[in-house]
Amino acid sequence: DGGITQSPKYLFRKEGQNVTLSCEQNLNHDAMYWYRQDPGQGLRLIYYSQIVNDFQKGDIAEGYSVSREKKESFPLTVTSAQKNPTAFYLCASSQTDPGNTIYFGEGSWLTVV
Amino acid sequence: QKEVEQDPGPLSVPEGAIVSLNCTYSNSAFQYFMWYRQYSRKGPELLMYTYSSGNKEDGRFTAQVDKSSKYISLFIRDSQPSDSATYLCAMAKAAGNKLTFGGGTRVLVKP
Protein backbone atom coordinates (compact mmCIF):
# COMPACT_ATOMS: atom_id res chain seq x y z
CA ASP A 1 0.00 0.00 0.00
CA GLY A 2 1.17 3.54 -0.76
CA GLY A 3 1.66 5.81 2.19
CA ILE A 4 3.83 7.44 4.79
CA THR A 5 5.35 5.31 7.52
CA GLN A 6 6.60 6.82 10.74
CA SER A 7 8.48 4.92 13.40
CA PRO A 8 8.51 4.40 16.25
CA LYS A 9 4.89 5.15 17.19
CA TYR A 10 5.83 5.76 20.85
CA LEU A 11 9.25 6.71 22.16
CA PHE A 12 10.53 7.51 25.62
CA ARG A 13 13.90 9.18 26.15
CA LYS A 14 15.81 10.66 29.01
CA GLU A 15 16.41 14.38 29.08
CA GLY A 16 19.66 15.32 27.33
CA GLN A 17 19.59 12.47 24.82
CA ASN A 18 19.24 12.93 21.09
CA VAL A 19 16.53 10.88 19.38
CA THR A 20 15.84 10.25 15.70
CA LEU A 21 12.35 9.75 14.28
CA SER A 22 12.02 7.88 11.02
CA CYS A 23 9.77 8.84 8.10
CA GLU A 24 9.53 6.86 4.86
CA GLN A 25 7.14 7.44 1.95
CA ASN A 26 6.45 5.38 -1.16
CA LEU A 27 4.18 7.92 -2.85
CA ASN A 28 6.99 9.22 -5.08
CA HIS A 29 6.45 12.68 -3.61
CA ASP A 30 9.19 15.25 -4.00
CA ALA A 31 8.41 17.29 -0.89
CA MET A 32 8.49 16.11 2.71
CA TYR A 33 7.73 17.91 5.95
CA TRP A 34 7.96 17.58 9.70
CA TYR A 35 5.34 19.13 11.96
CA ARG A 36 5.02 19.25 15.71
CA GLN A 37 1.67 19.15 17.50
CA ASP A 38 1.25 19.93 21.19
CA PRO A 39 -1.93 18.88 23.09
CA GLY A 40 -4.89 20.98 21.97
CA GLN A 41 -2.73 22.87 19.51
CA GLY A 42 -2.48 23.08 15.76
CA LEU A 43 0.49 21.92 13.73
CA ARG A 44 3.71 23.89 13.57
CA LEU A 45 6.26 23.38 10.80
CA ILE A 46 9.74 22.27 11.92
CA TYR A 47 11.57 21.55 8.63
CA TYR A 48 10.66 20.86 5.05
CA SER A 49 12.43 19.56 1.98
CA GLN A 50 11.38 19.98 -1.64
CA ILE A 51 14.20 18.01 -3.21
CA VAL A 52 16.86 15.49 -2.25
CA ASN A 53 19.89 16.97 -0.45
CA ASP A 54 18.09 20.23 0.28
CA PHE A 55 15.89 21.35 3.16
CA GLN A 56 14.70 24.56 4.80
CA LYS A 57 13.86 25.60 8.34
CA GLY A 58 10.24 26.02 9.26
CA ASP A 59 8.80 28.11 12.04
CA ILE A 60 10.26 26.17 14.99
CA ALA A 61 13.52 24.59 13.75
CA GLU A 62 15.65 25.34 16.81
CA GLY A 63 16.79 22.14 18.54
CA TYR A 64 15.97 19.92 15.55
CA SER A 65 17.94 18.61 12.58
CA VAL A 66 17.02 16.71 9.42
CA SER A 67 18.62 15.07 6.40
CA ARG A 68 17.28 14.21 2.95
CA GLU A 69 19.72 11.77 1.38
CA LYS A 70 16.99 9.80 -0.40
CA LYS A 71 13.70 10.88 -1.94
CA GLU A 72 11.79 8.36 0.18
CA SER A 73 13.29 9.24 3.55
CA PHE A 74 13.30 12.34 5.77
CA PRO A 75 14.47 11.52 9.32
CA LEU A 76 14.14 14.05 12.12
CA THR A 77 16.58 14.28 15.02
CA VAL A 78 15.38 15.90 18.21
CA THR A 79 18.53 17.13 19.90
CA SER A 80 19.23 17.88 23.53
CA ALA A 81 19.06 21.58 22.61
CA GLN A 82 15.29 21.34 22.14
CA LYS A 83 13.89 22.72 25.39
CA ASN A 84 10.44 21.11 25.32
CA PRO A 85 10.70 18.01 23.12
CA THR A 86 7.71 16.10 24.48
CA ALA A 87 5.11 16.28 21.68
CA PHE A 88 3.38 14.48 18.83
CA TYR A 89 5.52 14.60 15.66
CA LEU A 90 3.93 14.31 12.23
CA CYS A 91 5.69 13.65 8.95
CA ALA A 92 4.00 14.60 5.70
CA SER A 93 4.67 14.58 1.97
CA SER A 94 3.34 16.12 -1.23
CA GLN A 95 4.20 16.90 -4.81
CA THR A 96 5.76 20.31 -5.27
CA ASP A 97 3.17 21.78 -7.67
CA PRO A 98 1.61 24.85 -6.06
CA GLY A 99 -1.43 23.93 -4.07
CA ASN A 100 -0.83 20.21 -4.11
CA THR A 101 -2.31 18.51 -1.12
CA ILE A 102 -0.24 17.26 1.76
CA TYR A 103 -0.67 13.79 3.20
CA PHE A 104 0.32 12.83 6.73
CA GLY A 105 1.74 9.80 8.45
CA GLU A 106 0.28 8.39 11.64
CA GLY A 107 2.65 10.31 13.89
CA SER A 108 5.22 9.56 16.57
CA TRP A 109 4.70 10.30 20.24
CA LEU A 110 7.88 11.41 21.95
CA THR A 111 8.00 11.66 25.73
CA VAL A 112 11.13 12.97 27.42
CA VAL A 113 11.47 12.14 31.10
CA GLN B 1 -2.11 37.60 16.53
CA LYS B 2 -2.03 34.21 14.80
CA GLU B 3 -2.26 34.07 11.03
CA VAL B 4 -5.11 31.56 11.24
CA GLU B 5 -7.67 31.59 14.04
CA GLN B 6 -9.96 28.71 14.87
CA ASP B 7 -12.26 28.24 17.86
CA PRO B 8 -10.95 25.28 19.88
CA GLY B 9 -14.41 24.13 21.01
CA PRO B 10 -15.47 21.59 22.03
CA LEU B 11 -18.51 21.80 19.81
CA SER B 12 -21.14 19.31 20.95
CA VAL B 13 -24.10 18.44 18.71
CA PRO B 14 -26.76 15.70 18.65
CA GLU B 15 -26.56 13.03 15.99
CA GLY B 16 -28.14 14.18 12.74
CA ALA B 17 -27.48 17.88 13.32
CA ILE B 18 -25.44 20.12 11.05
CA VAL B 19 -21.93 20.84 12.27
CA SER B 20 -20.64 24.28 11.35
CA LEU B 21 -16.92 25.03 11.62
CA ASN B 22 -14.98 28.08 10.57
CA CYS B 23 -11.59 29.76 10.46
CA THR B 24 -10.50 33.32 9.93
CA TYR B 25 -7.17 34.39 8.57
CA SER B 26 -5.18 37.57 8.20
CA ASN B 27 -2.88 36.96 5.23
CA SER B 28 -4.54 37.77 1.90
CA ALA B 29 -1.83 35.77 0.09
CA PHE B 30 -3.45 32.47 1.02
CA GLN B 31 -4.93 30.85 -2.09
CA TYR B 32 -5.43 27.19 -1.17
CA PHE B 33 -7.67 26.11 1.66
CA MET B 34 -8.00 22.71 3.24
CA TRP B 35 -9.86 20.95 6.00
CA TYR B 36 -8.35 18.00 7.79
CA ARG B 37 -9.97 15.59 10.24
CA GLN B 38 -7.85 14.19 13.04
CA TYR B 39 -8.91 11.37 15.32
CA SER B 40 -7.24 11.09 18.71
CA ARG B 41 -3.59 10.02 18.47
CA LYS B 42 -3.75 9.74 14.67
CA GLY B 43 -2.37 11.72 11.77
CA PRO B 44 -4.68 14.26 10.07
CA GLU B 45 -6.56 13.09 6.98
CA LEU B 46 -7.57 15.44 4.19
CA LEU B 47 -11.33 16.07 3.93
CA MET B 48 -11.75 19.01 1.59
CA TYR B 49 -9.52 21.07 -0.65
CA THR B 50 -10.56 24.38 -2.23
CA TYR B 51 -8.74 26.85 -4.42
CA SER B 52 -9.63 30.54 -4.04
CA SER B 53 -13.21 31.61 -3.26
CA GLY B 54 -16.32 29.53 -3.71
CA ASN B 55 -18.10 26.43 -2.50
CA LYS B 56 -17.25 22.77 -2.82
CA GLU B 57 -19.43 19.85 -1.86
CA ASP B 58 -18.43 16.23 -1.28
CA GLY B 59 -21.08 13.95 0.16
CA ARG B 60 -22.08 15.26 3.58
CA PHE B 61 -19.30 17.86 3.57
CA THR B 62 -19.45 21.40 2.16
CA ALA B 63 -16.51 23.80 2.22
CA GLN B 64 -16.92 27.52 1.64
CA VAL B 65 -14.24 30.14 1.10
CA ASP B 66 -14.89 33.88 1.27
CA LYS B 67 -11.60 35.58 0.47
CA SER B 68 -13.07 39.07 0.73
CA SER B 69 -13.87 38.39 4.39
CA LYS B 70 -10.86 36.10 4.96
CA TYR B 71 -13.22 33.46 6.28
CA ILE B 72 -13.59 29.78 5.50
CA SER B 73 -16.22 27.31 6.65
CA LEU B 74 -16.88 23.58 6.75
CA PHE B 75 -20.37 22.16 7.13
CA ILE B 76 -21.11 18.54 7.99
CA ARG B 77 -24.68 17.45 7.31
CA ASP B 78 -26.44 14.55 9.03
CA SER B 79 -23.62 14.28 11.56
CA GLN B 80 -22.71 10.86 12.92
CA PRO B 81 -20.90 9.82 16.12
CA SER B 82 -18.03 8.75 13.86
CA ASP B 83 -17.61 12.43 12.92
CA SER B 84 -16.39 13.10 16.46
CA ALA B 85 -12.84 14.31 15.95
CA THR B 86 -10.72 17.43 15.80
CA TYR B 87 -11.08 19.43 12.59
CA LEU B 88 -8.13 21.48 11.42
CA CYS B 89 -8.24 24.18 8.80
CA ALA B 90 -5.09 24.79 6.79
CA MET B 91 -4.09 27.16 4.05
CA ALA B 92 -1.21 27.80 1.69
CA LYS B 93 0.02 30.61 -0.51
CA ALA B 94 0.31 30.28 -4.28
CA ALA B 95 3.64 28.50 -4.23
CA GLY B 96 5.79 26.52 -1.87
CA ASN B 97 3.12 24.33 -0.34
CA LYS B 98 3.89 25.34 3.24
CA LEU B 99 0.69 24.92 5.16
CA THR B 100 -0.38 27.20 7.99
CA PHE B 101 -2.80 25.50 10.35
CA GLY B 102 -5.50 26.69 12.66
CA GLY B 103 -5.46 25.28 16.18
CA GLY B 104 -8.28 22.84 15.49
CA THR B 105 -11.87 22.53 16.71
CA ARG B 106 -12.87 19.49 18.70
CA VAL B 107 -16.29 18.16 17.67
CA LEU B 108 -18.43 15.75 19.68
CA VAL B 109 -21.48 14.17 18.03
CA LYS B 110 -23.69 12.57 20.67
CA PRO B 111 -25.91 9.56 19.77
Side-chain angles (χ1 to χ4, degrees), chain B residues 46-72:
Chain B
L46 181 67
L47 280 178
M48 299 289 284
Y49 171 88
T50 308
Y51 170 68
S52 194
S53 287
N55 294 356
K56 185 174 183 179
E57 186 173 321
D58 184 2
R60 296 186 296 115
F61 300 92
T62 299
Q64 293 182 348
V65 174
D66 181 350
K67 290 191 67 181
S68 63
S69 301
K70 297 189 180 68
Y71 187 90
I72 67 171

PDB file of all heavy atoms in Angstrom, chain B residues 46-72:
ATOM      1  N   LEU B  46      -6.991  14.370   4.979  1.00  0.00           N
ATOM      2  CA  LEU B  46      -7.574  15.445   4.195  1.00  0.00           C
ATOM      3  C   LEU B  46      -9.048  15.170   3.912  1.00  0.00           C
ATOM      4  O   LEU B  46      -9.414  14.104   3.440  1.00  0.00           O
ATOM      5  CB  LEU B  46      -6.823  15.590   2.880  1.00  0.00           C
ATOM      6  CG  LEU B  46      -7.301  16.700   1.963  1.00  0.00           C
ATOM      7  CD1 LEU B  46      -7.022  18.068   2.584  1.00  0.00           C
ATOM      8  CD2 LEU B  46      -6.622  16.586   0.602  1.00  0.00           C
ATOM      9  N   LEU B  47      -9.890  16.172   4.204  1.00  0.00           N
ATOM     10  CA  LEU B  47     -11.328  16.068   3.931  1.00  0.00           C
ATOM     11  C   LEU B  47     -11.712  16.856   2.685  1.00  0.00           C
ATOM     12  O   LEU B  47     -12.399  16.344   1.818  1.00  0.00           O
ATOM     13  CB  LEU B  47     -12.125  16.618   5.118  1.00  0.00           C
ATOM     14  CG  LEU B  47     -12.332  15.735   6.328  1.00  0.00           C
ATOM     15  CD1 LEU B  47     -13.111  16.519   7.379  1.00  0.00           C
ATOM     16  CD2 LEU B  47     -13.057  14.451   5.956  1.00  0.00           C
ATOM     17  N   MET B  48     -11.318  18.118   2.661  1.00  0.00           N
ATOM     18  CA  MET B  48     -11.753  19.007   1.593  1.00  0.00           C
ATOM     19  C   MET B  48     -10.591  19.904   1.184  1.00  0.00           C
ATOM     20  O   MET B  48      -9.771  20.297   2.007  1.00  0.00           O
ATOM     21  CB  MET B  48     -12.916  19.889   2.047  1.00  0.00           C
ATOM     22  CG  MET B  48     -14.156  19.121   2.456  1.00  0.00           C
ATOM     23  SD  MET B  48     -14.985  18.386   1.042  1.00  0.00           S
ATOM     24  CE  MET B  48     -15.779  19.814   0.328  1.00  0.00           C
ATOM     25  N   TYR B  49     -10.581  20.238  -0.092  1.00  0.00           N
ATOM     26  CA  TYR B  49      -9.521  21.074  -0.652  1.00  0.00           C
ATOM     27  C   TYR B  49     -10.180  22.052  -1.614  1.00  0.00           C
ATOM     28  O   TYR B  49     -10.920  21.662  -2.504  1.00  0.00           O
ATOM     29  CB  TYR B  49      -8.532  20.170  -1.389  1.00  0.00           C
ATOM     30  CG  TYR B  49      -7.498  20.879  -2.208  1.00  0.00           C
ATOM     31  CD1 TYR B  49      -6.311  21.279  -1.642  1.00  0.00           C
ATOM     32  CD2 TYR B  49      -7.708  21.123  -3.571  1.00  0.00           C
ATOM     33  CE1 TYR B  49      -5.353  21.912  -2.401  1.00  0.00           C
ATOM     34  CE2 TYR B  49      -6.752  21.753  -4.321  1.00  0.00           C
ATOM     35  CZ  TYR B  49      -5.569  22.148  -3.740  1.00  0.00           C
ATOM     36  OH  TYR B  49      -4.614  22.785  -4.481  1.00  0.00           O
ATOM     37  N   THR B  50      -9.925  23.345  -1.412  1.00  0.00           N
ATOM     38  CA  THR B  50     -10.560  24.381  -2.231  1.00  0.00           C
ATOM     39  C   THR B  50      -9.519  25.397  -2.666  1.00  0.00           C
ATOM     40  O   THR B  50      -8.664  25.792  -1.866  1.00  0.00           O
ATOM     41  CB  THR B  50     -11.655  25.110  -1.422  1.00  0.00           C
ATOM     42  OG1 THR B  50     -12.533  24.151  -0.848  1.00  0.00           O
ATOM     43  CG2 THR B  50     -12.452  26.048  -2.317  1.00  0.00           C
ATOM     44  N   TYR B  51      -9.624  25.795  -3.918  1.00  0.00           N
ATOM     45  CA  TYR B  51      -8.740  26.846  -4.420  1.00  0.00           C
ATOM     46  C   TYR B  51      -9.541  28.136  -4.560  1.00  0.00           C
ATOM     47  O   TYR B  51     -10.628  28.137  -5.139  1.00  0.00           O
ATOM     48  CB  TYR B  51      -8.144  26.466  -5.772  1.00  0.00           C
ATOM     49  CG  TYR B  51      -7.413  27.599  -6.452  1.00  0.00           C
ATOM     50  CD1 TYR B  51      -6.225  28.078  -5.920  1.00  0.00           C
ATOM     51  CD2 TYR B  51      -7.926  28.208  -7.603  1.00  0.00           C
ATOM     52  CE1 TYR B  51      -5.552  29.131  -6.526  1.00  0.00           C
ATOM     53  CE2 TYR B  51      -7.262  29.253  -8.207  1.00  0.00           C
ATOM     54  CZ  TYR B  51      -6.076  29.714  -7.669  1.00  0.00           C
ATOM     55  OH  TYR B  51      -5.414  30.752  -8.256  1.00  0.00           O
ATOM     56  N   SER B  52      -9.050  29.201  -3.977  1.00  0.00           N
ATOM     57  CA  SER B  52      -9.635  30.544  -4.041  1.00  0.00           C
ATOM     58  C   SER B  52     -11.053  30.541  -3.473  1.00  0.00           C
ATOM     59  O   SER B  52     -11.413  29.695  -2.677  1.00  0.00           O
ATOM     60  CB  SER B  52      -9.596  31.044  -5.484  1.00  0.00           C
ATOM     61  OG  SER B  52      -9.855  32.431  -5.525  1.00  0.00           O
ATOM     62  N   SER B  53     -11.874  31.471  -3.852  1.00  0.00           N
ATOM     63  CA  SER B  53     -13.209  31.606  -3.260  1.00  0.00           C
ATOM     64  C   SER B  53     -14.196  30.650  -3.903  1.00  0.00           C
ATOM     65  O   SER B  53     -14.003  30.193  -5.022  1.00  0.00           O
ATOM     66  CB  SER B  53     -13.709  33.040  -3.434  1.00  0.00           C
ATOM     67  OG  SER B  53     -13.035  33.910  -2.564  1.00  0.00           O
ATOM     68  N   GLY B  54     -15.265  30.369  -3.153  1.00  0.00           N
ATOM     69  CA  GLY B  54     -16.316  29.528  -3.712  1.00  0.00           C
ATOM     70  C   GLY B  54     -16.699  28.416  -2.774  1.00  0.00           C
ATOM     71  O   GLY B  54     -16.246  28.336  -1.641  1.00  0.00           O
ATOM     72  N   ASN B  55     -17.602  27.565  -3.270  1.00  0.00           N
ATOM     73  CA  ASN B  55     -18.103  26.432  -2.505  1.00  0.00           C
ATOM     74  C   ASN B  55     -17.670  25.134  -3.151  1.00  0.00           C
ATOM     75  O   ASN B  55     -17.495  25.054  -4.364  1.00  0.00           O
ATOM     76  CB  ASN B  55     -19.629  26.464  -2.456  1.00  0.00           C
ATOM     77  CG  ASN B  55     -20.150  27.649  -1.690  1.00  0.00           C
ATOM     78  OD1 ASN B  55     -19.396  28.427  -1.130  1.00  0.00           O
ATOM     79  ND2 ASN B  55     -21.451  27.817  -1.696  1.00  0.00           N
ATOM     80  N   LYS B  56     -17.537  24.114  -2.312  1.00  0.00           N
ATOM     81  CA  LYS B  56     -17.249  22.775  -2.819  1.00  0.00           C
ATOM     82  C   LYS B  56     -17.990  21.775  -1.956  1.00  0.00           C
ATOM     83  O   LYS B  56     -17.971  21.887  -0.731  1.00  0.00           O
ATOM     84  CB  LYS B  56     -15.749  22.488  -2.790  1.00  0.00           C
ATOM     85  CG  LYS B  56     -15.368  21.160  -3.418  1.00  0.00           C
ATOM     86  CD  LYS B  56     -13.869  21.026  -3.480  1.00  0.00           C
ATOM     87  CE  LYS B  56     -13.444  19.751  -4.168  1.00  0.00           C
ATOM     88  NZ  LYS B  56     -11.964  19.637  -4.256  1.00  0.00           N
ATOM     89  N   GLU B  57     -18.646  20.826  -2.601  1.00  0.00           N
ATOM     90  CA  GLU B  57     -19.431  19.845  -1.864  1.00  0.00           C
ATOM     91  C   GLU B  57     -18.911  18.450  -2.171  1.00  0.00           C
ATOM     92  O   GLU B  57     -18.576  18.117  -3.307  1.00  0.00           O
ATOM     93  CB  GLU B  57     -20.906  19.960  -2.268  1.00  0.00           C
ATOM     94  CG  GLU B  57     -21.836  19.086  -1.456  1.00  0.00           C
ATOM     95  CD  GLU B  57     -23.298  19.371  -1.780  1.00  0.00           C
ATOM     96  OE1 GLU B  57     -23.643  20.548  -1.970  1.00  0.00           O
ATOM     97  OE2 GLU B  57     -24.079  18.405  -1.850  1.00  0.00           O
ATOM     98  N   ASP B  58     -18.853  17.619  -1.120  1.00  0.00           N
ATOM     99  CA  ASP B  58     -18.434  16.231  -1.281  1.00  0.00           C
ATOM    100  C   ASP B  58     -19.211  15.399  -0.272  1.00  0.00           C
ATOM    101  O   ASP B  58     -18.884  15.385   0.912  1.00  0.00           O
ATOM    102  CB  ASP B  58     -16.932  16.094  -1.065  1.00  0.00           C
ATOM    103  CG  ASP B  58     -16.435  14.675  -1.316  1.00  0.00           C
ATOM    104  OD1 ASP B  58     -17.247  13.811  -1.691  1.00  0.00           O
ATOM    105  OD2 ASP B  58     -15.231  14.425  -1.138  1.00  0.00           O
ATOM    106  N   GLY B  59     -20.264  14.754  -0.754  1.00  0.00           N
ATOM    107  CA  GLY B  59     -21.082  13.955   0.155  1.00  0.00           C
ATOM    108  C   GLY B  59     -21.730  14.815   1.223  1.00  0.00           C
ATOM    109  O   GLY B  59     -22.422  15.786   0.917  1.00  0.00           O
ATOM    110  N   ARG B  60     -21.486  14.503   2.474  1.00  0.00           N
ATOM    111  CA  ARG B  60     -22.079  15.257   3.576  1.00  0.00           C
ATOM    112  C   ARG B  60     -21.288  16.520   3.919  1.00  0.00           C
ATOM    113  O   ARG B  60     -21.702  17.271   4.801  1.00  0.00           O
ATOM    114  CB  ARG B  60     -22.159  14.355   4.812  1.00  0.00           C
ATOM    115  CG  ARG B  60     -23.071  13.149   4.676  1.00  0.00           C
ATOM    116  CD  ARG B  60     -23.218  12.387   5.981  1.00  0.00           C
ATOM    117  NE  ARG B  60     -21.948  11.806   6.448  1.00  0.00           N
ATOM    118  CZ  ARG B  60     -21.325  12.165   7.557  1.00  0.00           C
ATOM    119  NH1 ARG B  60     -21.823  13.137   8.321  1.00  0.00           N
ATOM    120  NH2 ARG B  60     -20.193  11.574   7.914  1.00  0.00           N
ATOM    121  N   PHE B  61     -20.191  16.739   3.251  1.00  0.00           N
ATOM    122  CA  PHE B  61     -19.302  17.856   3.568  1.00  0.00           C
ATOM    123  C   PHE B  61     -19.409  18.975   2.528  1.00  0.00           C
ATOM    124  O   PHE B  61     -19.428  18.716   1.330  1.00  0.00           O
ATOM    125  CB  PHE B  61     -17.847  17.379   3.644  1.00  0.00           C
ATOM    126  CG  PHE B  61     -17.609  16.332   4.697  1.00  0.00           C
ATOM    127  CD1 PHE B  61     -17.701  14.995   4.392  1.00  0.00           C
ATOM    128  CD2 PHE B  61     -17.302  16.703   5.990  1.00  0.00           C
ATOM    129  CE1 PHE B  61     -17.480  14.023   5.366  1.00  0.00           C
ATOM    130  CE2 PHE B  61     -17.084  15.744   6.976  1.00  0.00           C
ATOM    131  CZ  PHE B  61     -17.177  14.394   6.661  1.00  0.00           C
ATOM    132  N   THR B  62     -19.474  20.221   3.028  1.00  0.00           N
ATOM    133  CA  THR B  62     -19.447  21.397   2.164  1.00  0.00           C
ATOM    134  C   THR B  62     -18.419  22.373   2.709  1.00  0.00           C
ATOM    135  O   THR B  62     -18.458  22.719   3.894  1.00  0.00           O
ATOM    136  CB  THR B  62     -20.817  22.091   2.106  1.00  0.00           C
ATOM    137  OG1 THR B  62     -21.781  21.186   1.570  1.00  0.00           O
ATOM    138  CG2 THR B  62     -20.749  23.330   1.216  1.00  0.00           C
ATOM    139  N   ALA B  63     -17.510  22.801   1.840  1.00  0.00           N
ATOM    140  CA  ALA B  63     -16.514  23.795   2.221  1.00  0.00           C
ATOM    141  C   ALA B  63     -16.821  25.096   1.496  1.00  0.00           C
ATOM    142  O   ALA B  63     -17.184  25.092   0.324  1.00  0.00           O
ATOM    143  CB  ALA B  63     -15.112  23.304   1.869  1.00  0.00           C
ATOM    144  N   GLN B  64     -16.695  26.194   2.212  1.00  0.00           N
ATOM    145  CA  GLN B  64     -16.916  27.516   1.641  1.00  0.00           C
ATOM    146  C   GLN B  64     -15.707  28.395   1.929  1.00  0.00           C
ATOM    147  O   GLN B  64     -15.141  28.348   3.025  1.00  0.00           O
ATOM    148  CB  GLN B  64     -18.172  28.168   2.232  1.00  0.00           C
ATOM    149  CG  GLN B  64     -19.459  27.472   1.858  1.00  0.00           C
ATOM    150  CD  GLN B  64     -20.668  28.190   2.439  1.00  0.00           C
ATOM    151  OE1 GLN B  64     -20.543  29.072   3.284  1.00  0.00           O
ATOM    152  NE2 GLN B  64     -21.852  27.795   1.977  1.00  0.00           N
ATOM    153  N   VAL B  65     -15.348  29.200   0.941  1.00  0.00           N
ATOM    154  CA  VAL B  65     -14.245  30.141   1.103  1.00  0.00           C
ATOM    155  C   VAL B  65     -14.741  31.521   0.692  1.00  0.00           C
ATOM    156  O   VAL B  65     -15.274  31.691  -0.401  1.00  0.00           O
ATOM    157  CB  VAL B  65     -13.028  29.753   0.245  1.00  0.00           C
ATOM    158  CG1 VAL B  65     -11.948  30.840   0.337  1.00  0.00           C
ATOM    159  CG2 VAL B  65     -12.461  28.414   0.675  1.00  0.00           C
ATOM    160  N   ASP B  66     -14.556  32.488   1.568  1.00  0.00           N
ATOM    161  CA  ASP B  66     -14.891  33.881   1.269  1.00  0.00           C
ATOM    162  C   ASP B  66     -13.612  34.687   1.456  1.00  0.00           C
ATOM    163  O   ASP B  66     -13.283  35.115   2.563  1.00  0.00           O
ATOM    164  CB  ASP B  66     -15.990  34.379   2.203  1.00  0.00           C
ATOM    165  CG  ASP B  66     -16.395  35.817   1.904  1.00  0.00           C
ATOM    166  OD1 ASP B  66     -15.704  36.481   1.117  1.00  0.00           O
ATOM    167  OD2 ASP B  66     -17.402  36.270   2.461  1.00  0.00           O
ATOM    168  N   LYS B  67     -12.888  34.891   0.369  1.00  0.00           N
ATOM    169  CA  LYS B  67     -11.597  35.582   0.467  1.00  0.00           C
ATOM    170  C   LYS B  67     -11.766  37.051   0.813  1.00  0.00           C
ATOM    171  O   LYS B  67     -10.898  37.648   1.434  1.00  0.00           O
ATOM    172  CB  LYS B  67     -10.815  35.419  -0.833  1.00  0.00           C
ATOM    173  CG  LYS B  67     -10.317  34.005  -1.081  1.00  0.00           C
ATOM    174  CD  LYS B  67      -9.328  33.954  -2.229  1.00  0.00           C
ATOM    175  CE  LYS B  67      -8.057  34.672  -1.864  1.00  0.00           C
ATOM    176  NZ  LYS B  67      -7.080  34.648  -2.979  1.00  0.00           N
ATOM    177  N   SER B  68     -12.879  37.649   0.424  1.00  0.00           N
ATOM    178  CA  SER B  68     -13.070  39.066   0.731  1.00  0.00           C
ATOM    179  C   SER B  68     -13.177  39.287   2.239  1.00  0.00           C
ATOM    180  O   SER B  68     -12.760  40.323   2.759  1.00  0.00           O
ATOM    181  CB  SER B  68     -14.298  39.610   0.017  1.00  0.00           C
ATOM    182  OG  SER B  68     -15.468  38.944   0.465  1.00  0.00           O
ATOM    183  N   SER B  69     -13.731  38.299   2.934  1.00  0.00           N
ATOM    184  CA  SER B  69     -13.867  38.394   4.386  1.00  0.00           C
ATOM    185  C   SER B  69     -12.769  37.639   5.119  1.00  0.00           C
ATOM    186  O   SER B  69     -12.724  37.663   6.359  1.00  0.00           O
ATOM    187  CB  SER B  69     -15.224  37.836   4.827  1.00  0.00           C
ATOM    188  OG  SER B  69     -16.273  38.552   4.215  1.00  0.00           O
ATOM    189  N   LYS B  70     -11.911  36.931   4.382  1.00  0.00           N
ATOM    190  CA  LYS B  70     -10.860  36.096   4.960  1.00  0.00           C
ATOM    191  C   LYS B  70     -11.471  35.104   5.944  1.00  0.00           C
ATOM    192  O   LYS B  70     -11.090  35.033   7.136  1.00  0.00           O
ATOM    193  CB  LYS B  70      -9.779  36.953   5.626  1.00  0.00           C
ATOM    194  CG  LYS B  70      -9.027  37.879   4.660  1.00  0.00           C
ATOM    195  CD  LYS B  70      -7.838  38.530   5.347  1.00  0.00           C
ATOM    196  CE  LYS B  70      -7.085  39.450   4.430  1.00  0.00           C
ATOM    197  NZ  LYS B  70      -7.869  40.650   4.062  1.00  0.00           N
ATOM    198  N   TYR B  71     -12.387  34.316   5.431  1.00  0.00           N
ATOM    199  CA  TYR B  71     -13.220  33.455   6.277  1.00  0.00           C
ATOM    200  C   TYR B  71     -13.499  32.183   5.502  1.00  0.00           C
ATOM    201  O   TYR B  71     -13.926  32.235   4.347  1.00  0.00           O
ATOM    202  CB  TYR B  71     -14.520  34.204   6.570  1.00  0.00           C
ATOM    203  CG  TYR B  71     -15.447  33.568   7.560  1.00  0.00           C
ATOM    204  CD1 TYR B  71     -15.353  33.860   8.920  1.00  0.00           C
ATOM    205  CD2 TYR B  71     -16.460  32.717   7.135  1.00  0.00           C
ATOM    206  CE1 TYR B  71     -16.229  33.311   9.824  1.00  0.00           C
ATOM    207  CE2 TYR B  71     -17.345  32.159   8.041  1.00  0.00           C
ATOM    208  CZ  TYR B  71     -17.235  32.471   9.383  1.00  0.00           C
ATOM    209  OH  TYR B  71     -18.110  31.921  10.279  1.00  0.00           O
ATOM    210  N   ILE B  72     -13.256  31.037   6.141  1.00  0.00           N
ATOM    211  CA  ILE B  72     -13.594  29.777   5.502  1.00  0.00           C
ATOM    212  C   ILE B  72     -14.451  28.947   6.447  1.00  0.00           C
ATOM    213  O   ILE B  72     -14.359  29.097   7.675  1.00  0.00           O
ATOM    214  CB  ILE B  72     -12.341  28.971   5.067  1.00  0.00           C
ATOM    215  CG1 ILE B  72     -11.547  28.478   6.273  1.00  0.00           C
ATOM    216  CG2 ILE B  72     -11.455  29.825   4.168  1.00  0.00           C
ATOM    217  CD1 ILE B  72     -10.434  27.499   5.884  1.00  0.00           C
TER     218      ILE B  72
END
